[in-house]
Amino acid sequence: MAVRHGSSLTEQRYHVAGTGPVCIAHSGGPGIGWDYLRMPLLEQHLTMVYIEPVGTGASGRLPDPRAYNLATYTHFLHAVIEHLALPEVALLGHSHGGFVAQRYALDHPERVVSLVLYDTSPVTGEDFWSVAVANMERFAQRHVVEHPEAATYVAGLTTRIDQLTDDDATAVLRSISPAYFFDYWGREEEFGPARAALRMYAAPSRGEGPPFDVREELPDVTSPTLVLVGEADFICGPHWARMIHEAIPGAQLVVLDGTGHLGHVERPEEFTTAVVTFLASTREHAES
């Protein structure tokens, strides 16, 4: 579909898979290819609509890369929901996609029947990134003897992606991706193909805008909300999840043990059960 943004039209791709009630999923990054978020088990219960964010993959590119910001992603998400003619949606946002989902639920409360905030945070900025860097340093220290390449992970995390080509940005993401798992090397045969398929696009990192912070607004979220987090997620871990959980009235919190930033890959059965149970309960409540 084509979406008007400013004075131009930009192509917005999305992918549909599965059967059942519709759930729209927004992937993270910004700038990571959408397909890492594919959830085959969830597709057995839900019709998943995966957004392919602008600036990535086959979706269009913005004329001004400074425009890759939260308002833009929210605008394109709303365009997809309008295009699908869905009066209400279940919305799942992962990582940076969770920022988009929070903003959308605040701006369009009447359109979000249920909200799943998966490994995300209500705030970024200096404190958020200092915690992430410290966690990455500890991860590297734990693993550097057996895996010397871990010594480069902090530098990879803090690399200016906006100054790289897409291929170089992809190489950085793939190099540090073991840190996003609880036990990557113990299950490398299982996770290696997913690592090799990761793709990063540099332009979205050139977006300009204020640090994300909806902490004071979250009590205004009216959608039933599930906050789902891996207990070993180094970047959007339980500290940030609990902040969301405590702020949104009636929110549920599920912490996946032995899981990093990619619970749908590491613990797909537990992840799917948590999401399906929550969405079923919200549908039953709405129907009653």
Side-chain angles (χ1 to χ4, degrees), residues 35 53-54 75 94 122-123 125 146 157 218 226 259 265:
D35 45 351
V54 291
H75 171 76
H94 177 243
V123 61
E146 294 184 1
L157 179 66
L218 286 182
L226 171 66
T259 308
V265 177

Side-chain angles (χ1 to χ4, degrees), residues 244-272:
I244 299 172
H245 172 240
E246 292 168 2
I248 297 178
Q252 300 178 30
L253 174 66
V254 173
V255 180
L256 298 174
D257 294 334
T259 308
H261 194 59
L262 299 166
H264 68 288
V265 177
E266 295 183 274
R267 297 283 184 267
E269 294 84 4
E270 293 91 331
F271 175 90
T272 300

Side-chain angles (χ1 to χ4, degrees), residues 5 7 12 16 20 35-36 55 78 81-82 84 101 162 170 172 186 204 231-232 269 275 280 282:
H5 182 257
S7 60
Q12 169 67 73
V16 182
D35 45 351
Y36 83 89
H78 185 60
I81 293 172
E82 292 279 278
L84 295 174
D162 60 309
T170 296
V172 170
E231 59 93 10
E269 294 84 4
V275 174
T282 60

Side-chain angles (χ1 to χ4, degrees), residues 154-172:
V154 172
L157 179 66
T158 56
T159 295
R160 289 284 303 273
I161 297 296
D162 60 309
Q163 298 179 353
L164 303 180
T165 66
D166 290 347
D167 286 343
D168 288 341
T170 296
V172 170

